[in-house]
Amino acid sequence: TWKWEDVEQNTLEAWKRVSGAVGDEIDSPGFVDAASGDFGLAAGSSCVDSGHPLTFVSEDFTGLSRPQGPAYDRGAFERVSR
């Protein structure tokens, strides 16, 4: 469970209702192998080239320059192999 404005929420639907995130995309990020700790983006991930262009964030978590493709990737890691 988590709290939103001091009200405890215990389902995704409850959180979406109280936060106003009803139309937000809730999707698997498509990590390479999250179970093994590899949170890089896999081929076909909906996060590739769909991030906001935050020009003040010029590198990903590993120091790789952003963007690596036609647009920024969402999350901490840019996908290198296209």
Side-chain angles (χ1 to χ4, degrees):
T1 63
W2 59 91
K3 286 189 176 188
W4 179 266
E5 296 181 358
D6 292 324
V7 178
E8 196 164 296
Q9 308 298 322
N10 59 4
T11 67
L12 175 60
E13 291 307 314
W15 175 80
K16 287 166 61 175
R17 185 178 61 254
V18 299
S19 69
V22 176
D24 285 1
E25 180 180 331
I26 307 283
D27 192 5
S28 170
F31 295 132
V32 172
D33 189 357
S36 296
D38 186 347
F39 296 103
L41 299 175
S45 168
S46 63
C47 294
V48 174
D49 296 332
S50 63
H52 294 287
L54 302 174
T55 55
F56 58 89
V57 180
S58 60
E59 297 179 344
D60 76 355
F61 187 73
T62 64
L64 186 66
S65 64
R66 304 187 98 149
Q68 286 291 309
Y72 285 72
D73 295 345
R74 286 187 277 163
F77 301 98
E78 280 285 308
R79 177 158 170 80
V80 178
S81 300
R82 303 268 176 201

